[in-house]
Amino acid sequence: MSIKENLHHIKSSLPPGVTLIAVTKTHPPEKLMEVYNAGHRIFGENKVQEMCDKYEVLPKDIQWHLIGHLQSNKVKYIAPFVSLIHSADSLKLLQEIDKQALKNSRVIDCLLQIYIADEETKFGLSFEEAEELLSSEAFQQLRNIRITGLMGMATNTDDQEKIRSEFRSLRSFFDRLKPSHPSLRHISMGMSSDYLLAIEEGSTMVRVGSSIFGNRNYSAGAPKA
Ligand SMILES: *Cc1c(COP(=O)(O)O)cnc(C)c1O
């Protein structure tokens, strides 16, 4: 199927209230334009440099979501235009986002990335760390960020029940936090291999790349950044 058909196929499988982030990392601007021309406007990148390069050359009504790990010293490059940062995982990073947002006279929406997988390699806060962060005085002083939800990545496994229980744990944490944190609206969970499962477990934002664009090629001339 073409990129456009893949996009329509996935969109038609999403219930109302679930937002699709088209994950465009490693793909060139021409491919992004196929999705853009099909009417899609929400794109996710996981590297700052690559997102900035694409922002420069693509239409300005695209909403750019940063979904990959973010280093504090790179926040300044995306602060003028980023629409949502999915990967906020420390107070220090949030303080820097707040500072750069203020410089740009904006409020930047962020999700707290929560560690739900059973793997060493995934970034994120534990439930306890997230609660501590949200209740800390230092966090409450930040005026130019808004925490609008949580993000999580399941373990990379074929075990569907394991993935389901990790998603479920994020959902119940969200439900527990929500009464005291009314700004929480989104749960970003689910990728190509597990987005339908994530939706069953309460996801409101799915981040889908390869099911739209095909497999990524990291070696042959793809932008690395
Ligand atoms: C690459 C990536 C995705 C999309 O992965 P696919 O399997 O291609 O759908 C989702 N979330 C994050 C954080 C990613 O880095």
Side-chain angles (χ1 to χ4, degrees):
M1 287 201 293
S2 69
I3 288 177
K4 196 174 160 184
E5 285 166 332
N6 291 339
L7 179 77
H8 286 310
H9 171 75
I10 290 166
K11 278 201 163 164
S12 64
S13 70
L14 302 181
V18 176
T19 302
L20 173 66
I21 318 301
V23 175
T24 50
K25 64 189 186 200
T26 76
H27 299 295
E30 307 84 79
K31 273 196 169 182
L32 275 61
M33 281 309 290
E34 290 186 43
V35 171
Y36 181 89
N37 288 332
H40 196 74
R41 294 293 181 270
I42 309 178
F43 291 0
E45 285 283 337
N46 72 337
K47 299 224 165 97
V48 165
Q49 183 66 53
E50 191 175 342
M51 189 163 103
C52 291
D53 290 348
K54 289 174 178 170
Y55 169 77
E56 283 300 318
V57 299
L58 287 166
K60 292 296 174 279
D61 60 343
I62 291 172
Q63 297 167 39
W64 292 98
H65 287 207
L66 189 85
I67 61 173
H69 184 64
L70 177 58
Q71 288 172 297
S72 297
N73 61 358
K74 296 196 174 158
V75 174
K76 55 179 177 287
Y77 302 116
I78 59 170
F81 68 91
V82 69
S83 159
L84 179 64
I85 295 172
H86 290 231
S87 46
D89 63 357
S90 72
L91 178 62
K92 175 173 164 272
L93 177 59
L94 286 168
Q95 286 170 326
E96 179 63 17
I97 298 170
D98 184 75
K99 182 176 144 196
Q100 297 298 334
L102 177 61
K103 274 194 190 164
N104 287 278
S105 313
R106 12 178 352 220
V107 172
I108 296 182
D109 287 349
C110 299
L111 308 181
L112 287 184
Q113 183 170 353
I114 308 294
Y115 182 89
I116 53 171
D118 192 8
E119 283 172 2
E120 285 299 322
T121 54
K122 302 264 156 86
F123 294 99
L125 299 159
S126 68
F127 296 148
E128 294 72 24
E129 288 167 337
E131 284 198 274
E132 236 168 71
L133 192 158
L134 288 170
S135 57
S136 72
E137 195 141 338
F139 168 76
Q140 285 164 10
Q141 284 167 3
L142 305 179
R143 291 286 167 269
N144 290 75
I145 53 152
R146 186 164 43 213
I147 302 294
T148 58
L150 306 176
M151 183 271 233
M153 290 172 84
T155 303
N156 186 4
T157 171
D158 291 331
D159 182 348
Q160 300 295 300
E161 285 316 304
K162 182 171 176 60
I163 296 172
R164 184 185 293 283
S165 81
E166 290 172 357
F167 285 152
R168 188 168 291 173
S169 73
L170 186 60
R171 174 73 204 206
S172 38
F173 183 57
F174 177 92
D175 290 340
R176 188 149 64 76
L177 285 183
K178 187 148 173 53
S180 47
H181 301 279
S183 68
L184 296 179
R185 287 181 285 131
H186 306 298
I187 308 181
S188 168
M189 57 184 190
M191 329 200 318
S192 290
S193 56
D194 55 21
Y195 73 93
L196 290 172
L197 220 163
I199 290 167
E200 285 174 21
E201 296 303 330
S203 172
T204 67
M205 277 189 170
V206 293
R207 310 178 307 270
V208 178
S210 35
S211 290
I212 300 173
F213 295 100
N215 288 332
R216 286 179 288 275
N217 181 349
Y218 288 95
S219 53
K224 274 184 209 86

Coordinates of all heavy atoms in Angstrom, one line a residue, residues 21-27 44-47 66-69 86-87 113 122 151-153 188 190-195 206-216 218, ligand 1:
I21 N 0.1 10.5 15.9 CA 1.3 11.2 15.6 C 2.1 10.3 14.5 O 2.4 9.2 14.7 CB 2.3 11.2 16.9 CG1 1.5 11.5 18.2 CG2 3.4 12.1 16.6 CD1 0.8 12.7 18.2
A22 N 2.2 10.9 13.4 CA 3.0 10.3 12.3 C 4.5 10.4 12.6 O 5.0 11.5 12.5 CB 2.6 10.9 10.9
V23 N 5.1 9.3 12.9 CA 6.5 9.3 13.3 C 7.4 9.3 12.0 O 7.4 8.3 11.3 CB 6.9 8.2 14.2 CG1 8.4 8.2 14.5 CG2 6.1 8.3 15.5
T24 N 8.1 10.4 11.8 CA 8.7 10.7 10.5 C 10.2 10.6 10.5 O 10.9 10.8 9.5 CB 8.3 12.1 10.0 OG1 8.6 13.0 11.1 CG2 6.8 12.2 9.7
K25 N 10.8 10.1 11.6 CA 12.2 10.1 11.8 C 12.8 9.2 10.7 O 12.3 8.2 10.3 CB 12.6 9.5 13.1 CG 12.2 8.1 13.4 CD 12.4 7.7 14.8 CE 12.1 6.2 15.0 NZ 11.8 5.8 16.4
T26 N 14.0 9.6 10.2 CA 14.8 9.1 9.1 C 14.2 9.2 7.7 O 14.9 9.0 6.7 CB 15.1 7.5 9.3 OG1 13.9 6.8 8.9 CG2 15.5 7.2 10.7
H27 N 12.9 9.7 7.6 CA 12.3 9.8 6.3 C 12.5 11.3 5.7 O 12.5 12.2 6.5 CB 10.9 9.5 6.3 CG 10.6 8.1 6.8 ND1 11.1 7.0 6.0 CD2 10.1 7.6 7.9 CE1 10.7 5.9 6.7 NE2 10.2 6.2 7.8
G44 N 5.9 13.4 14.4 CA 6.8 13.2 15.6 C 8.2 12.8 15.1 O 8.4 12.0 14.2
E45 N 9.2 13.5 15.7 CA 10.6 13.2 15.5 C 11.3 12.9 16.8 O 10.8 13.4 17.8 CB 11.3 14.4 14.8 CG 10.9 14.7 13.4 CD 11.6 13.8 12.4 OE1 12.7 13.2 12.8 OE2 11.1 13.6 11.3
N46 N 12.3 12.1 16.7 CA 13.0 11.8 18.0 C 14.4 12.4 18.1 O 15.0 12.3 19.2 CB 13.1 10.3 18.2 CG 14.0 9.6 17.3 OD1 14.4 10.1 16.3 ND2 14.5 8.4 17.7
K47 N 14.8 13.2 17.1 CA 16.1 13.9 17.3 C 15.9 15.4 17.0 O 15.2 15.8 16.0 CB 17.1 13.3 16.3 CG 17.4 11.9 16.6 CD 18.9 11.6 16.5 CE 19.2 10.3 17.1 NZ 19.4 9.2 16.1
L66 N 8.1 16.3 19.8 CA 9.4 15.6 20.0 C 9.1 14.4 20.9 O 8.6 14.5 22.0 CB 10.4 16.5 20.7 CG 11.8 15.8 20.8 CD1 12.5 16.1 19.5 CD2 12.6 16.2 22.0
I67 N 9.5 13.2 20.4 CA 9.1 12.0 21.1 C 10.4 11.3 21.6 O 10.2 10.3 22.4 CB 8.3 11.0 20.1 CG1 9.2 10.6 18.9 CG2 7.0 11.7 19.7 CD1 8.5 9.6 18.0
G68 N 11.6 11.7 21.2 CA 12.8 11.0 21.7 C 13.4 11.8 22.9 O 13.0 12.9 23.2
H69 N 14.4 11.1 23.4 CA 15.1 11.7 24.5 C 15.7 13.1 24.2 O 16.2 13.4 23.1 CB 16.3 10.8 24.9 CG 17.0 11.3 26.1 ND1 16.4 11.3 27.4 CD2 18.3 11.7 26.3 CE1 17.3 11.8 28.2 NE2 18.4 12.1 27.6
H86 N 7.1 14.9 24.3 CA 6.6 13.7 25.0 C 7.6 13.1 26.0 O 7.2 12.2 26.7 CB 6.4 12.6 23.9 CG 5.2 12.8 23.0 ND1 4.3 11.8 22.7 CD2 4.9 13.8 22.2 CE1 3.4 12.3 21.8 NE2 3.8 13.5 21.5
S87 N 8.8 13.6 26.0 CA 9.9 12.9 26.7 C 10.5 13.7 27.8 O 11.7 13.6 28.1 CB 10.9 12.6 25.6 OG 11.2 13.7 24.8
Q113 N 7.5 11.5 30.7 CA 7.8 10.1 30.2 C 8.0 9.2 31.4 O 8.8 9.4 32.3 CB 9.0 10.1 29.3 CG 9.3 8.7 28.8 CD 10.3 8.6 27.7 OE1 10.8 9.6 27.2 NE2 10.7 7.4 27.3
K122 N 15.3 2.1 28.3 CA 14.3 3.1 28.1 C 14.5 4.2 29.1 O 14.7 4.0 30.3 CB 12.9 2.4 28.2 CG 12.7 1.3 27.2 CD 12.0 1.8 26.0 CE 12.2 0.9 24.8 NZ 11.4 -0.2 24.6
M151 N 3.6 9.8 29.0 CA 4.0 9.0 27.9 C 4.8 7.7 28.4 O 5.5 7.8 29.4 CB 5.0 9.8 27.0 CG 5.4 9.1 25.7 SD 6.9 8.1 25.9 CE 7.9 8.8 24.5
G152 N 4.6 6.6 27.7 CA 5.3 5.4 28.1 C 5.6 4.5 26.9 O 4.8 4.6 25.9
M153 N 6.6 3.7 27.0 CA 6.9 2.7 26.0 C 7.0 1.4 26.6 O 7.7 1.2 27.6 CB 8.3 3.1 25.3 CG 8.3 4.3 24.5 SD 9.9 4.8 23.9 CE 10.1 3.7 22.5
S188 N 0.2 9.1 26.0 CA 0.9 8.7 24.7 C 1.5 7.4 24.9 O 2.5 7.2 25.5 CB 1.9 9.8 24.5 OG 2.8 9.4 23.4
G190 N 1.8 3.4 22.6 CA 1.4 2.6 21.4 C 2.2 3.1 20.2 O 2.3 4.3 19.9
M191 N 2.8 2.1 19.5 CA 3.6 2.3 18.3 C 3.0 1.4 17.2 O 2.0 0.7 17.4 CB 5.1 2.1 18.5 CG 5.5 2.5 19.9 SD 7.3 2.8 20.2 CE 8.1 1.6 19.2
S192 N 3.7 1.2 16.1 CA 3.2 0.4 15.0 C 2.8 -1.0 15.5 O 1.7 -1.5 15.1 CB 4.2 0.3 13.9 OG 4.4 1.5 13.2
S193 N 3.6 -1.6 16.3 CA 3.4 -3.0 16.6 C 2.3 -3.2 17.7 O 1.7 -4.2 17.8 CB 4.6 -3.6 17.1 OG 5.2 -2.9 18.2
D194 N 2.0 -2.1 18.4 CA 1.1 -2.3 19.6 C 0.1 -1.2 19.8 O -0.5 -1.1 20.9 CB 2.0 -2.5 20.9 CG 3.0 -1.4 21.1 OD1 2.7 -0.3 20.6 OD2 3.9 -1.6 21.9
Y195 N -0.2 -0.4 18.8 CA -1.1 0.7 19.0 C -2.5 0.3 19.3 O -3.2 1.0 20.1 CB -1.0 1.8 17.9 CG -1.6 1.5 16.6 CD1 -2.9 1.8 16.3 CD2 -0.9 0.8 15.6 CE1 -3.5 1.5 15.1 CE2 -1.4 0.5 14.4 CZ -2.7 0.8 14.1 OH -3.3 0.5 12.9
V206 N -1.3 7.9 19.7 CA -0.4 6.8 19.3 C 0.6 7.3 18.4 O 0.4 8.2 17.6 CB -1.2 5.6 18.6 CG1 -2.1 4.9 19.6 CG2 -2.1 6.2 17.4
R207 N 1.8 6.8 18.5 CA 3.0 7.3 17.7 C 3.4 6.2 16.7 O 4.0 5.2 17.1 CB 4.2 7.6 18.7 CG 3.8 8.4 19.9 CD 5.0 8.6 20.8 NE 5.6 7.3 21.2 CZ 5.3 6.6 22.2 NH1 4.3 7.0 23.1 NH2 5.8 5.4 22.5
V208 N 3.0 6.4 15.5 CA 3.1 5.3 14.5 C 4.0 5.8 13.3 O 3.8 6.8 12.7 CB 1.7 4.9 14.0 CG1 1.9 3.8 12.9 CG2 0.8 4.4 15.1
G209 N 5.1 5.0 13.1 CA 6.0 5.3 12.1 C 6.0 4.3 11.0 O 5.5 4.5 9.9
S210 N 6.6 3.1 11.2 CA 6.8 2.1 10.1 C 5.5 1.7 9.5 O 5.5 1.3 8.3 CB 7.7 1.0 10.6 OG 7.4 0.7 11.9
S211 N 4.4 1.6 10.2 CA 3.2 1.2 9.6 C 2.6 2.2 8.6 O 1.8 1.9 7.7 CB 2.1 0.9 10.6 OG 2.4 -0.2 11.3
I212 N 3.2 3.4 8.6 CA 2.8 4.4 7.6 C 3.9 4.5 6.5 O 3.5 4.4 5.3 CB 2.7 5.8 8.3 CG1 1.6 5.8 9.3 CG2 2.3 6.9 7.2 CD1 1.5 7.1 10.1
F213 N 5.1 4.6 6.9 CA 6.2 4.9 6.0 C 7.0 3.7 5.5 O 7.9 3.8 4.7 CB 7.2 5.9 6.6 CG 6.5 7.3 6.9 CD1 6.1 7.6 8.1 CD2 6.4 8.2 5.8 CE1 5.5 8.9 8.4 CE2 5.8 9.4 6.1 CZ 5.4 9.8 7.3
G214 N 6.7 2.5 6.1 CA 7.5 1.4 5.8 C 8.7 1.3 6.8 O 8.9 2.2 7.6
N215 N 9.6 0.3 6.6 CA 10.7 0.2 7.5 C 11.7 1.3 7.3 O 11.9 1.8 6.2 CB 11.4 -1.1 7.2 CG 10.6 -2.3 7.7 OD1 9.8 -2.1 8.7 ND2 10.7 -3.4 7.1
R216 N 12.3 1.7 8.4 CA 13.3 2.7 8.4 C 14.7 2.1 7.9 O 15.0 1.0 8.3 CB 13.5 3.4 9.7 CG 12.4 4.3 10.1 CD 12.6 4.9 11.5 NE 12.4 3.9 12.6 CZ 11.2 3.6 13.1 NH1 10.1 4.2 12.6 NH2 11.1 2.7 14.1
Y218 N 18.4 3.0 8.4 CA 19.3 3.9 9.1 C 20.7 4.1 8.4 O 21.4 4.9 8.7 CB 19.5 3.4 10.5 CG 18.4 3.6 11.4 CD1 17.4 2.6 11.6 CD2 18.1 4.9 12.0 CE1 16.3 2.8 12.4 CE2 17.0 5.0 12.8 CZ 16.1 4.0 13.0 OH 15.1 4.2 13.8
Ligands
LIG1 C1 10.4 5.5 16.4 C2 9.5 5.7 17.5 C3 8.1 5.4 17.4 C4 7.5 4.7 16.2 O1 7.9 3.4 16.0 P1 7.3 2.5 14.9 O2 7.5 1.1 15.4 O3 8.0 2.8 13.6 O4 5.8 2.8 14.8 C5 7.3 5.7 18.5 N1 7.8 6.3 19.6 C6 9.0 6.6 19.7 C7 9.5 7.2 21.0 C8 9.9 6.3 18.7 O5 11.2 6.7 18.8

